[in-house]
Amino acid sequence: EELKKENRGKTVFEFYFRIRILLNSKFSVYILSVIQEIAFSAALMESGSGYIGPFTTEITLTYRKVFTNIGNAYNPITGIFTAPLKGVYKFNFSVYGHSNPSTPSTVSIVKNGERVAIAHGHQDQGVVNSSKGVVLILEVGDVVYVRLWSERWIYDSESNHNTFSGYLLFPLR
């Protein structure tokens, strides 16, 4: 009841977790920890332009141009987001490519090795683009990343057409 009073009216980013640990039923210790702020956004290429793919196997895309990485949960070397705490997260990803009758542009967002959603574009002329967003429940240590499908290609430039972003909506106990 005391915790409810202290935190009434606060938003999730103003709110502090108070964990009550009962020891021997005689006294309690309060541990105060700030809710972690977790958000990242990145594009594929740090500079220049060019095609990525096609490859004979799927590859994990490494989004090197980091706009935001609050909490450092996204690794631009590996392209992998690792959940630092249990919670509900929102992810967005996009794909862009130049049209080709035989080579589509297809990527998927992956959670712990399992495909969750696909962004795909394919037509004979012009450019193709697609974007998707998903909300995922993650445990500490779960990983999320984007994979380029085999025999597919994408194109990126300083315009940052291909992006991968995510943020914590709220923590879970």
Side-chain angles (χ1 to χ4, degrees), residues 87-117:
V88 178
Y89 293 81
K90 167 75 170 160
F91 294 94
N92 299 299
F93 64 109
S94 62
V95 63
Y96 177 90
H98 291 146
S99 301
N100 180 312
S102 61
T103 310
S105 297
T106 311
V107 299
S108 55
I109 193 164
V110 177
K111 173 188 170 187
N112 296 331
E114 299 292 324
R115 276 189 191 147
V116 177

Side-chain angles (χ1 to χ4, degrees), residues 26-149:
K26 292 182 181 173
F27 62 94
S28 61
V29 176
Y30 289 94
I31 299 172
L32 182 66
S33 66
V34 178
I35 287 183
Q36 291 187 10
E37 294 177 346
I38 301 162
F40 77 95
S41 184
L44 274 176
M45 300 183 125
E46 287 183 289
S47 62
S49 62
Y51 292 94
I52 298 169
F55 301 103
T56 57
T57 60
E58 281 192 10
I59 65 157
T60 299
L61 293 172
T62 54
Y63 295 81
R64 303 283 175 132
K65 185 175 185 179
V66 176
F67 303 115
T68 305
N69 196 6
I70 299 166
N72 293 315
Y74 174 72
N75 183 332
I77 304 302
T78 63
I80 296 172
F81 172 86
T82 304
L85 78 144
K86 183 177 180 179
V88 178
Y89 293 81
K90 167 75 170 160
F91 294 94
N92 299 299
F93 64 109
S94 62
V95 63
Y96 177 90
H98 291 146
S99 301
N100 180 312
S102 61
T103 310
S105 297
T106 311
V107 299
S108 55
I109 193 164
V110 177
K111 173 188 170 187
N112 296 331
E114 299 292 324
R115 276 189 191 147
V116 177
I118 298 164
H120 172 81
H122 188 209
Q123 61 188 31
D124 289 345
Q125 298 177 32
V127 297
V128 295
N129 59 48
S130 178
S131 62
K132 296 288 168 81
V134 296
V135 174
L136 300 173
I137 296 173
L138 300 181
E139 299 288 336
V140 173
D142 282 352
V143 294
V144 177
Y145 48 93
V146 177
R147 306 256 308 160
L148 175 66
W149 286 25

